[in-house]
Amino acid sequence: YDELEELVEKLKQEELVEDASIQSIMEMETSDFTTPNDTRWVNEWDELNPDGENWGIEAIRAPYTWQYKEDMTPIKMGLIDCMFNTEHEDVKFAETFYNPSKDKITEDHGTHVAGTMAATYDNNRGITGVYPFGENNIYGVAIDGTSNKSCLFFWKSAFAELIVRNVKVINVSLGYEDAFAYNAASG
């Protein structure tokens, strides 16, 4: 513990670090966390033994934190991905940019990742995201096929769109095996 405290103090001295602290892990009972009523996983929650399609949400102990949702300050999250289904019933985008013509495969990936991040809590639909609090808290910047994935201007523009909107967390998820290799191979 003393060694961890020393590391925390060193981290706090770094210019880019706003704050650092030690996170404790404790044993808990299944009754110590809340579960959403979303139809997809209504009977599958077991944080003590993560398993099934929602094992990732359980493994990071998201349901345990959801009981404190009233104490949480909503943050804006950003996603750079393939297209998004902006009409999806379980994902409420605040805003999307460059959402080009719809393509079912890439639209599914962008929407899937947005849902993992912020699908609505307790709405009797689909799933619940890792951070589902705050209506319309996700901002999406979509990629138009493979033409702009390695374009430096695109990346600067994508990050700029999110940063000027005070987005605090940005996820880059492309839905392709290797977007940059594709452009490099195609010249």
Side-chain angles (χ1 to χ4, degrees), residues 20-103:
S21 63
I22 297 172
Q23 299 298 309
S24 300
I25 297 176
M26 62 184 177
E27 291 297 318
M28 60 185 209
E29 298 296 321
T30 304
S31 62
D32 288 344
F33 62 87
T34 61
T35 57
N37 64 6
D38 293 329
T39 56
R40 175 97 181 253
W41 297 336
V42 74
N43 295 317
E44 291 186 32
W45 293 101
D46 184 2
E47 239 185 34
L48 300 175
N49 301 296
D51 193 21
E53 287 187 82
N54 61 338
W55 72 267
I57 303 280
E58 293 172 334
I60 64 170
R61 302 180 106 134
Y64 180 76
T65 64
W66 293 339
Q67 67 183 320
Y68 301 105
K69 66 182 178 278
E70 300 304 321
D71 300 326
M72 295 180 187
T73 303
I75 61 166
K76 295 178 181 179
M77 297 182 294
L79 172 59
I80 301 172
D81 203 323
C82 302
M83 283 67 77
F84 312 105
N85 177 355
T86 56
E87 304 298 317
H88 196 281
E89 63 187 11
D90 209 19
V91 180
K92 308 295 185 229
F93 288 93
E95 213 169 341
T96 58
F97 311 96
Y98 316 121
N99 208 16
S101 60
K102 305 255 184 204
D103 173 324

Side-chain angles (χ1 to χ4, degrees), residues 89-167:
E89 63 187 11
D90 209 19
V91 180
K92 308 295 185 229
F93 288 93
E95 213 169 341
T96 58
F97 311 96
Y98 316 121
N99 208 16
S101 60
K102 305 255 184 204
D103 173 324
K104 182 70 173 142
I105 294 170
T106 55
E107 180 184 296
D108 283 351
H109 188 269
T111 306
H112 171 83
V113 174
T116 300
M117 292 171 69
T120 307
Y121 182 88
D122 242 5
N123 65 347
N124 290 307
R125 299 189 183 284
I127 65 167
T128 298
V130 172
Y131 183 78
F133 313 113
E135 195 72 13
N136 299 320
N137 63 341
I138 191 161
Y139 292 75
V141 181
I143 294 170
D144 184 12
T146 56
S147 61
N148 58 8
K149 286 186 185 147
S150 62
C151 174
L152 184 59
F153 176 76
F154 168 78
W155 288 105
K156 286 182 176 183
S157 298
F159 281 104
E161 288 286 3
L162 299 172
I163 291 168
V164 300
R165 284 163 178 77
N166 201 26
V167 167

Side-chain angles (χ1 to χ4, degrees), residues 158-183:
F159 281 104
E161 288 286 3
L162 299 172
I163 291 168
V164 300
R165 284 163 178 77
N166 201 26
V167 167
K168 298 297 183 188
V169 175
I170 299 174
N171 180 68
V172 178
S173 182
L174 301 176
Y176 293 92
E177 285 182 13
D178 190 347
F180 294 104
Y182 177 88
N183 277 332

